[in-house]
Every structure is written in structure tokens, then in C-alpha cells.
Amino acid sequence: VSLGGTLSAGTIGSGVDFPQTGYAQLDNVQNASQTGVKIDFGTITGDTTNITKDSSTLNIQLALAGIYLIQINCTFTLTTSERACRVKIFDGSDTQLAVGLSSLGIEEGTNVSNFAFAGCSYTGSFSANSEIYFNTQSFDGGNVDLDTGTHASICLIKPA
């Protein structure tokens, strides 16, 4: 069926193809100290044609223009000298788009791993071939290691 006008009511069936959509799940595959640097997501699943990672810059490239919902959830392991951390989302020109913070109120002990969790999200318009990246940071200069539970989601919610 072809529609030559405006669809103002009705149901769109599950078999309808939406060619300009994109989503990706980015997963951290290693427990590693990534403090103060871009997060190197090891696995991207979903639309790996329109949402890709540049292996040299670690930037995530968004091939399609439109409005995106971008979320990241980090699981951190903190040393006893570190009790706070943050995660940030940046665009390709290093403009901070969002930040999430976490801190430990009480440490479990001196020889155990202390876990913290932080997340943030951003919804905004991006032009075709825009780039974004994610960054973590320690507050006090201690070690902040990313756990393998760290992941990000990117969803094109409205194509341009």
C-alpha cells in the first residue's frame, strides 16, 4: 500500500520497514583503568552500519542525521584512595553534553573492591556523520577502573 498524503490515524504493522532507524548497544569487554581517557567499547551490536567506532580516535560515528537518545551506565571499581568518579558524554568537538556523578559514602574495607555506579543521558539533534565519545574521570586522582558491566545505548528516535 502506498500513502501519498498524511497518516493521521491508524496502526503501523510490525512488518513495516523503517529504513532510516538506528540503534546500538556498546559494551565494555574488559576490566581496565580508563580514567581520564575515552572509553574504548569493545563490542557494538545493533546497527553497525550507521553507528560505528573509529578504532584510532575511539569516537562513535553517527552516520544518519536526526535526534538521538544517548545513554551510558558505568560500573566502577574504586581503590581506597578514590571515593568519587564521573562519566561524561562529549560531541566530536569536545563539547560536554552530559555528566553523571557517583561517590561512596562508606568504604567496605581496605582490601576489597568498592563499587560505584554512575550514568547519564543526552537527547539532541546531530547532523550526518557526527561523532560523540564517552569519558570517565576520577575526582581525587585515585584509580577508577571500569567494570565489564559498563554499557551505552544509542538510539535514533527521529531521522532528519
Side-chain angles (χ1 to χ4, degrees):
V1 173
S2 176
L3 179 64
T6 302
L7 177 64
S8 59
T11 302
I12 299 174
S14 61
V16 175
D17 184 29
F18 294 95
Q20 288 193 335
T21 59
Y23 73 92
Q25 178 75 18
L26 294 71
D27 293 309
N28 184 42
V29 295
Q30 61 181 345
N31 290 329
S33 179
Q34 295 189 28
T35 302
V37 297
K38 295 177 184 179
I39 297 174
D40 183 4
F41 289 101
T43 303
I44 299 177
T45 55
D47 181 358
T48 56
T49 300
N50 294 310
I51 301 173
T52 59
K53 179 181 81 172
D54 183 308
S55 60
S56 62
T57 66
L58 306 181
N59 287 355
I60 305 301
Q61 298 167 328
L62 310 173
L64 300 175
I67 298 173
Y68 285 82
L69 171 61
I70 302 165
Q71 298 177 307
I72 183 166
N73 294 299
C74 293
T75 304
F76 298 102
T77 306
L78 307 177
T79 63
T80 54
S81 64
E82 181 57 72
R83 296 188 49 172
C85 52
R86 71 182 116 212
V87 60
K88 298 178 181 181
I89 303 171
F90 289 89
D91 68 13
S93 62
D94 300 325
T95 300
Q96 181 179 306
L97 303 175
V99 62
L101 311 170
S102 182
S103 65
L104 288 174
I106 301 172
E107 293 184 47
E108 292 185 33
T110 57
N111 294 316
V112 298
S113 294
N114 293 289
F115 291 96
F117 308 93
C120 61
S121 63
Y122 177 79
T123 303
S125 183
F126 291 88
S127 59
N129 300 311
S130 290
E131 294 186 345
I132 61 167
Y133 66 91
F134 304 89
N135 171 284
T136 61
Q137 188 176 18
S138 162
F139 273 53
D140 298 326
N143 289 334
V144 176
D145 292 342
L146 282 180
D147 188 74
T148 55
T150 296
H151 62 278
S153 299
I154 301 171
C155 183
L156 174 61
I157 57 176
K158 184 179 180 217

